[in-house]
């Protein structure tokens, strides 16, 4: 990885983070959903999706525990947007929120904030 591609410890490359940011913004607009009112949550979820895309080849939901991540990627159920999101607009990561969610913000574009990961 080039030095210019590094964004910090335990973070995805610039390329993968930007790809997931663009996906999330486009999907929020297309699905008439909004990001969380706390931009650190949105940034962290997009970071997790980007890391999984980098490591696993697919944006596996970062908010769940998996016994076997590779098997879950192949299953596709939890690949973002996951089946509950596509079918019922239910995103337990708080990435894509409907207007009636108590944590909903007004943004459909990322206001990236610094989020550090120590481990």
């Amino acid at each position: 990885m080039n030095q210019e591609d590094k964004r910090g410890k335990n973070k995805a490359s610039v390329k993968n983070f930007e790809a997931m940011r663009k996906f999330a913004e486009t999907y929020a607009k297309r699905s008439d959903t909004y990001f969380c009112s706390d931009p650190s949550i949105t940034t962290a979820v997009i970071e997790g999706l980007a890391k999984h895309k980098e490591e696993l080849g697919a944006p596996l939901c970062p908010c769940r525990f998996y016994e076997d991540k590779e098997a879950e990627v192949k299953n596709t159920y939890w690949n973002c947007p996951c089946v509950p999101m596509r079918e019922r607009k239910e995103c337990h990561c708080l990435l894509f929120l409907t207007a009636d969610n108590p944590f909903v913000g007004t943004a459909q574009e990322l206001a990236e904030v610094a989020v550090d990961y120590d481990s």
Side-chain angles (χ1 to χ4, degrees), residues 58-104:
L60 185 65
C61 173
C63 302
R64 300 185 60 81
F65 173 77
Y66 307 99
E67 291 288 334
D68 183 344
K69 289 182 181 181
E70 289 81 8
E72 291 294 341
V73 165
K74 289 177 186 171
N75 183 14
T76 72
Y77 187 90
W78 293 113
N79 291 346
C80 189
C82 65
V83 171
M85 180 60 208
R86 291 189 309 250
E87 290 181 354
R88 300 180 302 277
K89 288 190 179 182
E90 293 175 2
C91 178
H92 66 274
C93 291
L94 301 180
L95 181 57
F96 303 115
L97 301 174
T98 55
D100 61 340
N101 188 297
F103 300 104
V104 70

Side-chain angles (χ1 to χ4, degrees), residues 3-98:
Q3 187 62 26
E4 62 198 34
D5 289 337
K6 291 190 72 71
R7 297 180 45 254
K9 186 176 181 181
N10 295 315
K11 293 187 177 183
S13 67
V14 170
K15 177 183 174 186
N16 281 316
F17 184 84
E18 285 303 309
M20 290 313 307
R21 179 188 62 78
K22 289 176 186 172
F23 156 77
E25 290 174 349
T26 300
Y27 191 80
K29 291 171 187 168
R30 197 175 86 215
S31 63
D32 195 29
T33 57
Y34 297 87
F35 294 148
C36 184
S37 58
D38 180 347
S40 67
I41 291 175
T42 304
T43 300
V45 173
I46 291 174
E47 186 73 58
L49 291 168
K51 280 291 282 183
H52 280 165
K53 178 111 174 110
E54 204 163 272
E55 296 168 352
L56 303 167
L60 185 65
C61 173
C63 302
R64 300 185 60 81
F65 173 77
Y66 307 99
E67 291 288 334
D68 183 344
K69 289 182 181 181
E70 289 81 8
E72 291 294 341
V73 165
K74 289 177 186 171
N75 183 14
T76 72
Y77 187 90
W78 293 113
N79 291 346
C80 189
C82 65
V83 171
M85 180 60 208
R86 291 189 309 250
E87 290 181 354
R88 300 180 302 277
K89 288 190 179 182
E90 293 175 2
C91 178
H92 66 274
C93 291
L94 301 180
L95 181 57
F96 303 115
L97 301 174
T98 55

